[in-house]
Short mmCIF file of all heavy atoms in Angstrom, two decimals:
data_model
loop_
_atom_site.label_atom_id
_atom_site.label_comp_id
_atom_site.label_asym_id
_atom_site.label_seq_id
_atom_site.Cartn_x
_atom_site.Cartn_y
_atom_site.Cartn_z
N HIS A 154 93.99 123.89 95.61
CA HIS A 154 93.46 124.74 94.55
C HIS A 154 93.51 124.02 93.20
O HIS A 154 92.54 124.07 92.42
CB HIS A 154 94.26 126.04 94.48
CG HIS A 154 93.85 126.94 93.35
ND1 HIS A 154 92.67 127.66 93.35
CD2 HIS A 154 94.46 127.20 92.16
CE1 HIS A 154 92.57 128.34 92.23
NE2 HIS A 154 93.65 128.08 91.49
N THR A 155 94.62 123.34 92.94
CA THR A 155 94.77 122.61 91.67
C THR A 155 93.73 121.50 91.58
O THR A 155 93.12 121.29 90.52
CB THR A 155 96.18 122.03 91.55
OG1 THR A 155 97.14 123.09 91.63
CG2 THR A 155 96.36 121.29 90.24
N ALA A 156 93.52 120.78 92.68
CA ALA A 156 92.54 119.69 92.68
C ALA A 156 91.13 120.23 92.45
O ALA A 156 90.33 119.64 91.70
CB ALA A 156 92.62 118.93 94.00
N HIS A 157 90.81 121.34 93.10
CA HIS A 157 89.50 121.95 92.92
C HIS A 157 89.28 122.33 91.45
O HIS A 157 88.21 122.08 90.88
CB HIS A 157 89.36 123.18 93.80
CG HIS A 157 88.15 124.00 93.52
ND1 HIS A 157 86.90 123.66 93.98
CD2 HIS A 157 87.99 125.13 92.78
CE1 HIS A 157 86.02 124.55 93.54
NE2 HIS A 157 86.66 125.46 92.83
N THR A 158 90.30 122.93 90.85
CA THR A 158 90.19 123.32 89.44
C THR A 158 90.00 122.10 88.56
O THR A 158 89.19 122.12 87.61
CB THR A 158 91.45 124.10 89.02
OG1 THR A 158 91.59 125.26 89.85
CG2 THR A 158 91.37 124.51 87.57
N ALA A 159 90.74 121.03 88.85
CA ALA A 159 90.63 119.81 88.05
C ALA A 159 89.24 119.20 88.14
O ALA A 159 88.65 118.79 87.13
CB ALA A 159 91.69 118.80 88.50
N LEU A 160 88.67 119.14 89.33
CA LEU A 160 87.35 118.55 89.50
C LEU A 160 86.26 119.43 88.89
O LEU A 160 85.26 118.93 88.36
CB LEU A 160 87.07 118.29 90.98
CG LEU A 160 87.83 117.09 91.55
CD1 LEU A 160 87.82 117.13 93.07
CD2 LEU A 160 87.22 115.78 91.05
N THR A 161 86.46 120.74 88.94
CA THR A 161 85.52 121.65 88.28
C THR A 161 85.56 121.46 86.77
O THR A 161 84.52 121.44 86.10
CB THR A 161 85.84 123.10 88.66
OG1 THR A 161 85.78 123.25 90.09
CG2 THR A 161 84.84 124.06 88.03
N THR A 162 86.76 121.30 86.24
CA THR A 162 86.92 121.02 84.81
C THR A 162 86.26 119.70 84.45
O THR A 162 85.57 119.58 83.43
CB THR A 162 88.41 120.98 84.44
OG1 THR A 162 89.00 122.25 84.72
CG2 THR A 162 88.61 120.64 82.97
N LEU A 163 86.46 118.69 85.30
CA LEU A 163 85.84 117.39 85.07
C LEU A 163 84.32 117.52 85.02
O LEU A 163 83.67 116.92 84.15
CB LEU A 163 86.26 116.41 86.16
CG LEU A 163 85.61 115.03 86.09
CD1 LEU A 163 86.06 114.28 84.83
CD2 LEU A 163 85.95 114.21 87.33
N ALA A 164 83.75 118.26 85.94
CA ALA A 164 82.29 118.41 85.97
C ALA A 164 81.78 119.01 84.66
O ALA A 164 80.75 118.57 84.13
CB ALA A 164 81.89 119.28 87.16
N ARG A 165 82.50 119.99 84.13
CA ARG A 165 82.09 120.58 82.85
C ARG A 165 82.19 119.54 81.73
O ARG A 165 81.34 119.49 80.83
CB ARG A 165 82.95 121.80 82.53
CG ARG A 165 82.67 123.00 83.44
CD ARG A 165 83.23 124.27 82.82
NE ARG A 165 84.69 124.20 82.65
CZ ARG A 165 85.56 124.66 83.54
NH1 ARG A 165 85.13 125.22 84.67
NH2 ARG A 165 86.85 124.58 83.31
N ARG A 166 83.22 118.74 81.77
CA ARG A 166 83.38 117.71 80.75
C ARG A 166 82.26 116.67 80.83
O ARG A 166 81.80 116.15 79.81
CB ARG A 166 84.74 117.04 80.89
CG ARG A 166 85.91 117.94 80.53
CD ARG A 166 87.25 117.26 80.75
NE ARG A 166 88.35 118.14 80.38
CZ ARG A 166 89.64 117.84 80.52
NH1 ARG A 166 89.98 116.64 81.02
NH2 ARG A 166 90.57 118.68 80.15
N LEU A 167 81.84 116.36 82.04
CA LEU A 167 80.74 115.41 82.20
C LEU A 167 79.43 115.99 81.69
O LEU A 167 78.60 115.26 81.13
CB LEU A 167 80.62 115.00 83.67
CG LEU A 167 81.83 114.26 84.26
CD1 LEU A 167 81.62 114.00 85.75
CD2 LEU A 167 82.09 112.95 83.52
N ASP A 168 79.23 117.28 81.89
CA ASP A 168 78.06 117.94 81.31
C ASP A 168 78.07 117.80 79.78
O ASP A 168 77.06 117.47 79.16
CB ASP A 168 78.05 119.43 81.67
CG ASP A 168 77.69 119.69 83.12
OD1 ASP A 168 77.09 118.81 83.76
OD2 ASP A 168 78.03 120.79 83.62
N ALA A 169 79.23 118.07 79.19
CA ALA A 169 79.35 117.98 77.73
C ALA A 169 79.17 116.54 77.25
O ALA A 169 78.57 116.31 76.19
CB ALA A 169 80.71 118.52 77.29
N LEU A 170 79.65 115.59 78.03
CA LEU A 170 79.52 114.18 77.65
C LEU A 170 78.05 113.77 77.59
O LEU A 170 77.64 113.04 76.67
CB LEU A 170 80.28 113.32 78.66
CG LEU A 170 80.30 111.81 78.39
CD1 LEU A 170 81.02 111.51 77.07
CD2 LEU A 170 81.00 111.08 79.54
N GLU A 171 77.26 114.25 78.53
CA GLU A 171 75.84 113.91 78.48
C GLU A 171 75.16 114.55 77.28
O GLU A 171 74.30 113.92 76.62
CB GLU A 171 75.13 114.33 79.76
CG GLU A 171 73.66 113.92 79.75
CD GLU A 171 72.94 114.16 81.06
OE1 GLU A 171 73.49 114.86 81.92
OE2 GLU A 171 71.82 113.63 81.22
N GLU A 172 75.52 115.77 76.97
CA GLU A 172 74.94 116.41 75.79
C GLU A 172 75.27 115.63 74.52
O GLU A 172 74.45 115.52 73.60
CB GLU A 172 75.47 117.85 75.66
CG GLU A 172 74.93 118.80 76.72
CD GLU A 172 75.41 120.22 76.50
OE1 GLU A 172 75.95 120.50 75.40
OE2 GLU A 172 75.26 121.05 77.41
N LEU A 173 76.47 115.06 74.48
CA LEU A 173 76.93 114.34 73.29
C LEU A 173 76.35 112.94 73.19
O LEU A 173 75.97 112.48 72.11
CB LEU A 173 78.47 114.27 73.29
CG LEU A 173 79.13 113.54 72.13
CD1 LEU A 173 78.90 114.31 70.83
CD2 LEU A 173 80.63 113.38 72.39
N THR A 174 76.25 112.24 74.35
CA THR A 174 75.91 110.81 74.32
C THR A 174 74.54 110.48 74.92
O THR A 174 74.04 109.38 74.72
CB THR A 174 76.96 110.01 75.11
OG1 THR A 174 76.90 110.37 76.50
CG2 THR A 174 78.36 110.27 74.57
N GLY A 175 73.97 111.40 75.69
CA GLY A 175 72.74 111.09 76.40
C GLY A 175 72.97 110.27 77.65
O GLY A 175 72.01 109.86 78.32
N LYS A 176 74.22 110.03 78.01
CA LYS A 176 74.58 109.24 79.19
C LYS A 176 75.08 110.18 80.29
O LYS A 176 75.96 111.01 80.05
CB LYS A 176 75.65 108.20 78.87
CG LYS A 176 75.30 107.27 77.71
CD LYS A 176 74.15 106.34 78.05
CE LYS A 176 73.92 105.33 76.93
NZ LYS A 176 72.84 104.37 77.25
N SER A 177 74.52 110.03 81.49
CA SER A 177 74.89 110.87 82.62
C SER A 177 75.90 110.14 83.49
O SER A 177 75.56 109.13 84.12
CB SER A 177 73.64 111.22 83.43
OG SER A 177 73.99 111.97 84.58
N ILE A 178 77.12 110.64 83.55
CA ILE A 178 78.18 110.01 84.34
C ILE A 178 78.50 110.91 85.53
O ILE A 178 78.72 112.11 85.38
CB ILE A 178 79.46 109.79 83.50
CG1 ILE A 178 79.14 109.06 82.20
CG2 ILE A 178 80.50 109.05 84.33
CD1 ILE A 178 78.55 107.68 82.38
N SER A 179 78.50 110.31 86.72
CA SER A 179 78.89 111.01 87.95
C SER A 179 80.19 110.44 88.47
O SER A 179 80.46 109.24 88.32
CB SER A 179 77.80 110.85 89.02
OG SER A 179 76.58 111.41 88.60
N VAL A 180 80.99 111.28 89.08
CA VAL A 180 82.25 110.86 89.70
C VAL A 180 82.13 111.07 91.19
O VAL A 180 81.64 112.12 91.65
CB VAL A 180 83.44 111.64 89.12
CG1 VAL A 180 84.72 111.37 89.92
CG2 VAL A 180 83.65 111.27 87.65
N ALA A 181 82.56 110.09 91.97
CA ALA A 181 82.36 110.11 93.42
C ALA A 181 83.68 109.96 94.14
O ALA A 181 84.39 108.96 93.95
CB ALA A 181 81.39 108.99 93.83
N LEU A 182 84.02 110.96 94.98
CA LEU A 182 85.20 110.86 95.84
C LEU A 182 84.94 109.81 96.91
O LEU A 182 83.88 109.80 97.54
CB LEU A 182 85.50 112.20 96.50
CG LEU A 182 85.71 113.42 95.60
CD1 LEU A 182 86.05 114.64 96.45
CD2 LEU A 182 86.78 113.17 94.57
N GLU A 183 85.91 108.96 97.14
CA GLU A 183 85.76 107.84 98.08
C GLU A 183 86.59 108.09 99.34
O GLU A 183 87.80 107.82 99.36
CB GLU A 183 86.21 106.55 97.40
CG GLU A 183 86.09 105.30 98.23
CD GLU A 183 86.70 104.10 97.53
OE1 GLU A 183 86.70 104.06 96.29
OE2 GLU A 183 87.18 103.20 98.24
N PRO A 184 85.99 108.65 100.41
CA PRO A 184 86.76 108.91 101.63
C PRO A 184 87.48 107.65 102.12
O PRO A 184 86.91 106.56 102.11
CB PRO A 184 85.67 109.35 102.63
CG PRO A 184 84.59 109.91 101.78
CD PRO A 184 84.57 109.06 100.55
N GLU A 185 88.72 107.85 102.54
CA GLU A 185 89.52 106.71 103.02
C GLU A 185 90.44 107.18 104.14
O GLU A 185 91.02 108.27 104.06
CB GLU A 185 90.35 106.12 101.88
CG GLU A 185 91.29 104.99 102.34
CD GLU A 185 91.85 104.19 101.19
OE1 GLU A 185 91.06 103.80 100.31
OE2 GLU A 185 93.07 103.95 101.18
N PRO A 186 90.60 106.36 105.18
CA PRO A 186 91.50 106.74 106.28
C PRO A 186 92.90 107.10 105.80
O PRO A 186 93.47 106.40 104.95
CB PRO A 186 91.52 105.48 107.16
CG PRO A 186 90.19 104.83 106.90
CD PRO A 186 89.91 105.08 105.45
N GLY A 187 93.41 108.19 106.34
CA GLY A 187 94.76 108.63 105.99
C GLY A 187 94.81 109.62 104.85
O GLY A 187 95.85 110.22 104.61
N CYS A 188 93.69 109.80 104.16
CA CYS A 188 93.67 110.70 103.02
C CYS A 188 93.23 112.10 103.43
O CYS A 188 92.76 112.32 104.55
CB CYS A 188 92.73 110.16 101.94
SG CYS A 188 93.35 108.66 101.15
N THR A 189 93.38 113.03 102.52
CA THR A 189 92.93 114.40 102.75
C THR A 189 91.46 114.41 103.13
O THR A 189 91.03 115.16 104.02
CB THR A 189 93.17 115.25 101.49
OG1 THR A 189 94.56 115.22 101.18
CG2 THR A 189 92.74 116.68 101.71
N VAL A 190 90.69 113.60 102.44
CA VAL A 190 89.28 113.38 102.78
C VAL A 190 89.20 111.99 103.41
O VAL A 190 89.13 110.98 102.72
CB VAL A 190 88.38 113.48 101.54
CG1 VAL A 190 86.95 113.10 101.88
CG2 VAL A 190 88.43 114.89 100.97
N GLU A 191 89.28 111.95 104.73
CA GLU A 191 89.27 110.66 105.44
C GLU A 191 87.84 110.21 105.72
O GLU A 191 87.55 109.01 105.69
CB GLU A 191 90.04 110.76 106.75
CG GLU A 191 89.84 109.53 107.65
CD GLU A 191 90.97 109.28 108.63
OE1 GLU A 191 92.06 109.83 108.46
OE2 GLU A 191 90.74 108.50 109.57
N THR A 192 86.95 111.14 106.01
CA THR A 192 85.60 110.79 106.42
C THR A 192 84.59 111.46 105.50
O THR A 192 84.91 112.37 104.74
CB THR A 192 85.33 111.26 107.87
OG1 THR A 192 85.36 112.69 107.90
CG2 THR A 192 86.38 110.70 108.83
N THR A 193 83.34 111.04 105.63
CA THR A 193 82.29 111.68 104.85
C THR A 193 82.17 113.16 105.23
O THR A 193 81.90 114.01 104.37
CB THR A 193 80.94 110.98 105.08
OG1 THR A 193 80.63 110.96 106.48
CG2 THR A 193 80.97 109.56 104.54
N ALA A 194 82.38 113.48 106.51
CA ALA A 194 82.33 114.88 106.93
C ALA A 194 83.41 115.71 106.23
O ALA A 194 83.17 116.87 105.84
CB ALA A 194 82.49 114.98 108.45
N ASP A 195 84.59 115.11 106.03
CA ASP A 195 85.67 115.81 105.34
C ASP A 195 85.32 116.10 103.89
O ASP A 195 85.88 117.02 103.27
CB ASP A 195 86.96 114.98 105.36
CG ASP A 195 87.53 114.77 106.74
OD1 ASP A 195 87.26 115.60 107.63
OD2 ASP A 195 88.24 113.77 106.94
N ALA A 196 84.42 115.30 103.32
CA ALA A 196 84.10 115.43 101.90
C ALA A 196 83.16 116.59 101.60
O ALA A 196 83.09 117.06 100.47
CB ALA A 196 83.48 114.13 101.38
N ILE A 197 82.42 117.03 102.60
CA ILE A 197 81.35 117.98 102.33
C ILE A 197 81.87 119.29 101.73
O ILE A 197 81.37 119.75 100.69
CB ILE A 197 80.54 118.24 103.61
CG1 ILE A 197 79.74 116.98 103.99
CG2 ILE A 197 79.59 119.42 103.42
CD1 ILE A 197 79.02 117.07 105.33
N ALA A 198 82.86 119.88 102.36
CA ALA A 198 83.34 121.19 101.89
C ALA A 198 83.92 121.13 100.48
O ALA A 198 83.53 121.94 99.62
CB ALA A 198 84.35 121.77 102.87
N PRO A 199 84.83 120.20 100.17
CA PRO A 199 85.38 120.20 98.81
C PRO A 199 84.36 119.85 97.74
O PRO A 199 84.42 120.38 96.63
CB PRO A 199 86.51 119.18 98.87
CG PRO A 199 86.27 118.37 100.09
CD PRO A 199 85.56 119.25 101.04
N VAL A 200 83.40 118.97 98.06
CA VAL A 200 82.40 118.62 97.05
C VAL A 200 81.45 119.80 96.82
O VAL A 200 81.12 120.13 95.67
CB VAL A 200 81.62 117.36 97.47
CG1 VAL A 200 80.42 117.13 96.56
CG2 VAL A 200 82.54 116.14 97.42
#
Side-chain angles (χ1 to χ4, degrees):
H154 175 74
T155 302
H157 170 79
T158 301
L160 285 164
T161 302
T162 299
L163 176 66
R165 290 197 298 266
R166 291 177 179 177
L167 296 176
D168 287 340
L170 183 63
E171 183 173 12
E172 290 184 13
L173 179 66
T174 66
K176 306 292 186 178
S177 176
I178 308 298
S179 299
V180 171
L182 304 182
E183 181 186 331
E185 176 166 313
C188 291
T189 301
V190 174
E191 169 156 343
T192 66
T193 56
D195 295 335
I197 291 174
V200 170

